[in-house]
């Protein structure tokens, strides 16, 4: 007897369960890296202002470097999920190993560049004379952990592709606890100062990478996948990551330009901008969790030769993105009187931030659609389109941002330009999703 097709309501419930099962643990893992930095800052801050300033410079450089290589997670998730959908777990894990080997190669390259150039990079970043030596020390030691950080990115992509976001959450929690304990012990117990903080973070990151590798190696042995580096596979992983690298660099450029424009507006505006940007980034984590679910689920559907299923789950995730954006926007409006005093007591900064926060709140449903469709197209392996779309967005944002000070606009106008940027992203992604050209099925794109 053939089974009756699922009703639309039953299909929505199934999609909802899939999205929640992947998105909730993914959100917990996403906030781990900012929590690492916050823990380090809290511990190092008691050493002195110069040490904290040095940590601020070095950690900003490290976070920028890691964010550039986030394609290791995104590209690996999509490629592995396709093979899972095609019911070829051996090839899925083999693909994941190629991503991990690429991470190790890139990590070794970064170490080779950072160690000799650390003092110059710190100086270019504008560190004061008193903070520069601390920043250089932290940067050089922490650079030794970059291969582990990149392995964590790639291995996270492997597990997400395998529809597992719980293991990354558990590893992230373990890494956060170990990082805090090691930092306290090495900074104060061993009296190593800021170097102890750097070593504690490196050890914690290596432990996280080792935990991931144990899980991936066990899976490889269980399914008979080779662990040896494969030049063709590594090259294919790198090629898949290039468009996503372009996308990421374009987005980083937008954020840097926005900060540069805010700095031109005055001290109160740049202070308010940094507060708002930190909130915007936190909101992005919540929306990015849905996008990660999209990467994994869409890749699996397309790998299983089910374009209609991929289209339906895309539609449902967009609804989730809009709903999440509305909820987050309301929370921003309600929490403004409580949120701002946590960061500043300066009434001028508060006055600059309040109307800009309203713009941020209103833009959250747009952001929800953008993050979801971004994840959907990543899951489909549609990296080249994402790269071109982001370059178009950058081209629109640059003149809009620089018109703000030229026309005498303030921080609210700058965040209106940021909302314009997100609107352009939404339109480019929506047009692509409507076209159906991303619905390429099969184990490989």
């Amino acid at each position: 007897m053939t089974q009756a097709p699922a009703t639309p309501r039953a299909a929505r419930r199934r999609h909802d369960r899939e999205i929640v099962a992947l998105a909730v643990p993914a959100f917990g893992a996403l906030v781990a890296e900012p929590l690492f930095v916050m823990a380090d800052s809290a511990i190092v801050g008691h050493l002195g202002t110069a040490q904290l300033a040095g940590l601020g410079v070095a950690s900003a450089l490290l976070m920028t470097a890691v964010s550039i290589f986030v394609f290791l997670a995104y590209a690996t998730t999509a490629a592995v999920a396709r093979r899972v959908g095609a019911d070829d777990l051996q090839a899925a894990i083999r693909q994941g190993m190629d991503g991990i080997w690429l991470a190790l190669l890139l990590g070794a390259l970064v170490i080779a560049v950072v160690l000799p150039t650390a003092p110059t990079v710190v100086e270019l970043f504008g560190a004061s004379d008193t903070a520069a030596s601390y920043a250089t020390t932290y940067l050089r030691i922490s650079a030794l952990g970059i291969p582990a950080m990149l392995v964590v990115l790639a291995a996270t992509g492997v597990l997400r592709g395998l529809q597992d976001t719980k293991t990354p959450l558990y590893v992230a929690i373990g890494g956060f606890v170990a990082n805090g304990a090691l930092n306290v012990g090495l900074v104060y117990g061993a009296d190593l100062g800021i170097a102890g903080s750097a070593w504690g973070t490196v050890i914690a990151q290596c432990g996280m990478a080792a935990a991931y590798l144990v899980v991936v190696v066990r899976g490889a042995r269980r399914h008979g996948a080779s662990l040896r580096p494969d030049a063709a596979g590594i090259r294919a992983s790198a090629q898949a990551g290039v468009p996503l690298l372009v996308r990421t660099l374009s987005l980083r450029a937008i954020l840097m330009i926005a900060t540069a424009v805010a700095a031109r507006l005055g001290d109160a505006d740049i202070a308010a901008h940094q507060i708002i940007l930190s909130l915007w980034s936190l909101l992005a984590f919540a929306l990015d969790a849905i996008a990660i679910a999209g990467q994994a689920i869409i890749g699996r559907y397309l790998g299983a030769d089910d374009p209609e299923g991929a289209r339906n789950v895309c539609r449902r995730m967009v609804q989730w993105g809009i709903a999440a954006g509305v909820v987050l926007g309301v929370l921003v409006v309600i929490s403004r009187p409580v949120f701002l005093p946590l960061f500043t007591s300066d009434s001028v900064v508060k006055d600059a931030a309040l109307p800009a926060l309203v713009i941020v709140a209103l833009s959250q449903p747009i952001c929800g659609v953008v993050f979801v469709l971004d994840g959907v197209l990543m899951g489909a392996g549609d990296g080249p389109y994402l790269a071109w779309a982001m370059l178009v967005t950058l081209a629109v944002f640059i003149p809009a941002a620089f018109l703000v000070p030229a026309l005498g606009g303030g921080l609210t106008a700058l965040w209106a330009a940021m909302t314009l940027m997100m609107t352009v992203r939404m339109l480019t992604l929506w047009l692509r999703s409507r076209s159906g050209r991303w619905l390429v099925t099969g184990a490989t794109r």
Side-chain angles (χ1 to χ4, degrees):
M1 180 181 295
T2 59
Q3 187 175 2
T7 64
R9 179 176 294 180
R12 283 197 301 271
R13 288 177 177 171
R14 186 179 72 252
H15 293 327
D16 289 345
R17 287 194 296 269
E18 287 181 323
I19 294 167
V20 170
L22 291 171
V24 173
F27 174 73
L30 281 170
V31 300
E33 194 61 39
L35 289 175
F36 267 56
V37 176
M38 288 176 62
D40 290 358
S41 299
I43 294 166
V44 171
H46 293 286
L47 295 174
T49 302
Q51 288 91 332
L52 184 58
L55 173 66
V57 171
S59 62
L61 289 168
L62 288 166
M63 290 291 287
T64 299
V66 173
S67 69
I68 288 173
F69 294 114
V70 74
F71 69 83
L72 288 166
Y74 294 159
T76 304
T77 297
V80 171
R82 274 185 175 270
R83 286 161 175 79
V84 169
D87 199 24
D88 190 350
L89 290 178
Q90 183 185 71
I93 296 175
R94 175 64 261 178
Q95 180 72 40
M97 285 304 305
D98 292 335
I100 290 172
W101 280 111
L102 176 62
L104 287 170
L105 290 173
L106 291 173
L109 180 62
V110 172
I111 288 178
V113 172
V114 170
L115 290 183
T117 63
T120 303
V121 173
V122 167
E123 184 179 352
L124 289 174
F125 208 76
S128 66
D129 292 339
T130 54
S133 62
Y134 295 114
T136 301
T137 297
Y138 191 93
L139 183 59
R140 277 180 164 160
I141 296 172
S142 294
L144 300 177
I146 286 180
M149 295 168 72
L150 300 189
V151 166
V152 167
L153 284 176
T156 299
V158 175
L159 295 182
R160 289 173 181 169
L162 293 171
Q163 317 296 296
D164 176 10
T165 56
K166 290 183 179 179
T167 299
L169 173 61
Y170 300 148
V171 174
I173 292 173
F176 175 72
V177 172
N179 179 69
L182 286 165
N183 268 258
V184 171
L186 294 175
V187 171
Y188 298 113
D191 199 25
L192 294 178
I194 195 170
S197 176
W199 280 117
T201 301
V202 168
I203 295 169
Q205 289 163 344
C206 289
M208 292 172 67
Y212 274 117
L213 289 175
V214 167
V215 175
V216 174
V217 168
R218 283 179 179 172
R221 289 176 174 169
R222 185 164 58 249
H223 297 287
S226 174
L227 298 174
R228 295 179 180 178
D230 176 66
I234 294 171
R235 186 165 55 249
S237 294
Q239 289 172 346
V242 168
L244 297 180
L245 175 61
V246 172
R247 167 202 167 274
T248 300
L249 290 175
S250 299
L251 181 57
R252 296 297 302 182
I254 286 171
L255 297 178
M256 290 174 64
I257 290 168
T259 300
V261 170
R264 291 187 180 187
L265 301 177
D267 290 347
D269 285 302
I270 184 61
H273 175 75
Q274 289 303 114
I275 294 171
I276 295 171
L277 191 60
S278 67
L279 174 63
W280 193 77
S281 300
L282 179 62
L283 298 173
F285 283 129
L287 297 174
D288 203 27
I290 304 175
I292 286 170
Q295 293 171 31
I297 295 171
I298 292 295
R300 193 187 78 233
Y301 272 101
L302 294 178
D305 292 320
D306 186 0
E308 190 59 31
R311 190 186 292 276
N312 290 337
V313 78
C314 171
R315 187 179 302 114
R316 187 57 177 167
M317 280 188 288
V318 168
Q319 294 170 355
W320 269 78
I322 294 172
V326 170
V327 171
L328 292 174
V330 171
L331 289 175
V332 169
V333 172
I334 293 174
S335 65
R336 283 185 307 159
V338 178
F339 174 74
L340 287 173
L342 295 176
F343 291 86
T344 182
S345 58
D346 190 327
S347 60
V348 178
V349 175
K350 290 180 183 178
D351 290 342
L354 278 171
L357 278 173
V358 174
I359 300 295
V360 171
L362 292 174
S363 71
Q364 287 309 297
I366 296 173
C367 294
V369 175
V370 168
F371 276 85
V372 166
L373 291 181
D374 206 40
V376 164
L377 296 183
M378 283 184 190
D382 205 12
Y385 182 84
L386 290 173
W388 283 110
M390 202 68 227
L391 288 171
V392 169
T393 303
L394 176 61
V396 172
F397 177 74
I398 289 173
F402 285 111
L403 276 175
V404 171
L407 297 178
L411 189 65
T412 302
L414 175 59
W415 276 92
M418 288 286 285
T419 301
L420 171 65
M421 177 270 294
M422 293 301 291
T423 303
V424 173
R425 287 188 71 190
M426 182 182 70
L427 289 174
T428 57
L429 298 174
W430 178 77
L431 288 172
R432 186 65 167 183
S433 69
R434 290 278 294 178
S435 73
R437 294 178 182 175
W438 56 279
L439 291 166
V440 180
T441 60
T444 58
R445 183 179 171 89

